[in-house]
Amino acid sequence: MDDGVISGSPREVVDALLQYARDIQASGEELRLDKCVAFCPALGMGLLDHPDVHDHVQVAPDGTRTLAGIPVVADGLVIYATSLQREVDAQVSYMSRIRTKLQNVSLHCMYSLGRYCIAPRMDYIAQHCYPTNALSALRRFDVAALSFVATALGADPRQVFDSTGIVLQRLRLPARSGGGGIRSCADLSPAAFVGTAAQALPHLVDLRDPTGAVEVPGYLPRLASVLGATSFRTGNELHRWHHLLASGCRLGRALETAWDGLRADLRTTLASHGGAASGDPANGHLVDGPLSHEFVSMGVLVDPTISTPVLIPQLQRALTSQRETARATALQRLAATLTITDALRVDKDDAAFILGRGGSTKRKISRVAGADIELDEVQLTITMTGTAKQCDRAADYVDFVKQQRVGPVTISLDSRRDDFTAYRVPEDCIGFVMGRNGQTLRSMEEEWGVLMFFAKTKLAGRSDATESLCIFGPLHARRGAEIKVMSAVEHKHPGFCVSSRNELRELERVPGDEDAEGWGTDTVLLSEENYSYALGSKGSTRKKLATASGCILEYVGRLACVCGYKRERRRGKDYLRWLLEQRTGQSSVQNPRDRDDCLVLKIPSQSIAFITGHRGESLRDIERESGTFCFTDGDRADRKDTENLLIFSFSRRERTFDDVGMVWCPVPAVLTPRPKPPQNPPRTDL
């Protein structure tokens, strides 16, 4: 028989206990009264002097008094705490025996026992004891269980017991979330206590119908004054805890404290990792509903999509599940930032092909994936260092390069990739896009930092494959390389990318190749004269505007395509407009000092020719070296001796460099002469 509790008045308890002892005696069982404990919170040791039990008081030869053979104590909580510690001692001893027998035989069996048999052994305590009373014992059990599992895993105990470490967080998550399933009893006790109370308390009082007749008798009907006689009536689910919370009894306070702790823990987890709990009311209280992101208020479910409360047996699972989901998300974000090392085996021919001429292919893969890659040509191993995502991408790129050596590459589109763009190039343009020996494609890879090759792409459920130009890399780089290819295709095959209405044709995207929020493409139609002027020698003017604005600027036919986020596109179109104005006259910038991408310098009029140089070559050199877009506004009103030089760039560092009180600008230093230091400075060490 398991432990049990009898509560009531002194006379009722003694009579019930003795009757129970007689009843089980008929079946050959014996109730050990000397191992029972009697206590009364109100009377303490005065229970022995109570008139209702005076006839059952016994005096031992040593003067010790017992109640019907049962020891009486002043405070039941002392026995309560001692009993919990004895239970933990027994579990620790059990783990020690198992460790001794299995650690040199089967660590797998040892871990399975730890997860399935040992970890749940204190669940009963967590469910039925006040969390504040059981916390010390449960924490001690958690430490012992973790030590047991660490032995089974061969893990460093310092990592396991580090509360901020990823090992402990991973072990604590359930298996369905990719964890070890070794949950913390101390952490689960508030949810277990709330769930058990929600399941048990409705059965303690009589369940009555609307007429007041008893439908189902309760186990302790006298608790109706605390729990409320009608609290658990059908249709009253949203208000069933109001009477208990208003009573001020310890059980009500414990439930409310446990609930608030669960809510606070979820809030903290969400807030510390970029999440947010929307609609979180200031005064949340218990109802039979899940601990949702909207939470619950007093008697009202905030989430209007929940029409009925969750079933009582599901409450604990609902409470725990959402906390674990939030923690799993937080752990995934943490793991994504950790640096790992992975290795691949390759054969000799593949190693040479992956290395490339002078290591160019290896460096390209490393740059696109974001991982450090080392190739050991003796051991024929590739070592990749970076985050898990970076190493996975590097491994994929290495595999694609290996496939190119022996035949065509086939890429499945069954899974979504956020680093992949596929562009269909017309057959008559493939050679033009590739260039002699692939030099044109390699130059695009170098310019945009991407990996590009022709491959067959295959959709799920389809037997045919389509040959496309595959581009791998981050979004900005992929879009830049793609628009560059479109420019080449439109040059070779006019009308393929630009419609007769001078609009870019819609592109078909593969799964996962969606634009980020705020990303887009704007177009500006250029005349023949403006096109040549905006392009510049070998595309130098176009590159200058793109570098200064931070956007992607490419000309597809006579369409200037400006790609990027909204602010980048706005800067790119502004710079292009001011450039085109300079072809026929002087460009004018409204309120340049109010812009966050502009630096205004006052330049002596006699120095303007020196700055610009012959046909503007000096100013172009400054722009090229600093990554800026510079011109004078030509406004001399009220300034006979100076002009404004406008320096534009999305980067403040490119516009100005401030270090130790010195200001550097991308203009000759003779414009801002500094005082020369004295030839013989006074000594300061005398």
Side-chain angles (χ1 to χ4, degrees), residues 171-340:
L171 282 174
R172 289 301 192 205
L173 286 176
R176 65 174 179 271
S177 299
I182 311 299
R183 294 175 171 177
S184 166
C185 289
D187 182 61
L188 290 177
S189 62
F193 178 71
V194 170
T196 302
Q199 188 171 4
L201 293 181
H203 299 284
L204 299 184
V205 296
D206 295 334
L207 180 61
R208 300 176 181 272
D209 61 19
T211 65
V214 177
E215 291 182 334
V216 181
Y219 293 106
L220 296 172
R222 291 185 180 182
L223 289 180
S225 60
V226 176
L227 299 176
T230 62
S231 294
F232 305 105
R233 180 183 297 171
T234 302
N236 198 37
E237 287 84 357
L238 296 181
H239 306 278
R240 58 174 50 189
W241 302 115
H242 289 185
H243 204 288
L244 175 61
L245 296 177
S247 69
C249 69
R250 185 185 180 191
L251 177 59
R253 295 195 305 270
L255 282 172
E256 192 165 24
T257 299
W259 176 267
D260 289 341
L262 292 169
R263 296 170 63 241
D265 178 77
L266 181 58
R267 281 201 203 110
T268 302
T269 302
L270 292 171
S272 61
H273 295 278
S278 59
D280 182 17
N283 299 311
H285 291 272
L286 286 170
V287 296
D288 279 350
L291 184 64
S292 66
H293 281 224
E294 288 73 23
F295 296 103
V296 290
S297 61
M298 173 66 83
V300 180
L301 284 171
V302 177
D303 186 354
T305 63
I306 302 177
S307 57
T308 57
V310 71
L311 297 176
I312 291 175
Q314 298 174 350
L315 180 58
Q316 177 183 342
R317 293 193 293 273
L319 298 176
T320 305
S321 176
Q322 192 160 88
R323 287 202 307 165
E324 290 174 341
T325 299
R327 290 175 179 176
T329 302
L331 183 60
Q332 290 173 357
R333 293 177 180 174
L334 175 62
T337 64
L338 297 179
T339 299
I340 64 172

Side-chain angles (χ1 to χ4, degrees), residues 7-10 38-50 72-77:
S7 62
S9 67
F39 66 92
C40 178
L43 300 176
M45 294 301 293
L47 173 64
L48 291 167
D49 300 321
H50 195 278
V72 177
V73 297
D75 187 358
L77 292 179

Side-chain angles (χ1 to χ4, degrees), residues 658-673:
D658 195 349
D659 185 21
V660 198
M662 299 178 63
V663 178
W664 175 90
C665 296
V667 293
V670 296
L671 300 178
T672 55

